[in-house]
Amino acid sequence: MKTKKAPPALVRIRLKKNDLVEVSSGKEKGKTGKVLRVLREKNQVVVEKVNMIKRHTRPSPTSGQGGIVEKEAPLNVSKVKLICPKCATATRFSLTLTGEGKKARVCLKCKEMIDG
Ligand SMILES: [Zn+2]
């Protein structure tokens, strides 16, 4: 008999701030941008100029004039792929240990380490 287990749904995020990513699905497919924020607890990332949403703001003493502000909405990490800065390809990565015992990501295409 199978028991219904709910495994922790957390996906290990290998993305970091300032990584270059490409959107691999959804309406923003094909767009590239820099990771601005990683929301680990939600498995989401905020990518510069991707998934823009319009927010209406009211005039206030702190923000000055009201109006429409465009800002990036978070995307699920499964929708983006890391782009290798060395070979400029959205490819797969594996983790390796550096000489100093730190984890670094290695591009499976050009075999370059992308974390120093
Ligand atoms: Zn590469």
Side-chain angles (χ1 to χ4, degrees):
M1 199 167 79
K2 277 182 186 171
T3 49
K4 217 176 175 185
K5 252 198 268 178
L10 283 177
V11 178
R12 184 121 151 259
I13 299 184
R14 289 174 186 175
L15 296 173
K16 287 197 263 190
K17 200 177 163 185
N18 294 329
D19 277 344
L20 197 63
V21 293
E22 182 184 307
V23 183
S24 55
S25 69
K27 68 179 167 70
E28 305 279 8
K29 189 175 173 177
K31 281 194 184 178
T32 58
K34 208 169 68 175
V35 173
L36 298 177
R37 264 189 297 151
V38 178
L39 310 167
R40 274 173 207 283
E41 65 285 0
K42 291 181 182 164
N43 289 324
Q44 290 177 326
V45 286
V46 178
V47 184
E48 191 174 33
K49 303 273 178 243
V50 171
N51 210 21
M52 300 299 286
I53 49 163
K54 288 194 170 90
R55 278 275 160 82
H56 297 260
T57 58
R58 290 163 188 272
S60 80
T62 47
S63 64
Q65 282 193 328
I68 298 170
V69 174
E70 276 196 286
K71 60 175 276 181
E72 291 92 350
L75 287 164
N76 195 285
V77 283
S78 64
K79 287 188 178 171
V80 300
K81 275 191 201 155
L82 183 59
I83 297 176
C84 172
K86 303 272 165 38
C87 64
T89 311
T91 183
R92 287 164 54 96
F93 293 84
S94 69
L95 286 175
T96 189
L97 285 173
T98 65
E100 293 106 46
K102 283 190 204 156
K103 278 186 189 148
R105 294 169 297 184
V106 177
C107 171
L108 292 182
K109 188 167 175 161
C110 67
K111 310 285 181 202
E112 288 284 343
M113 252 186 237
I114 60 166
D115 298 298

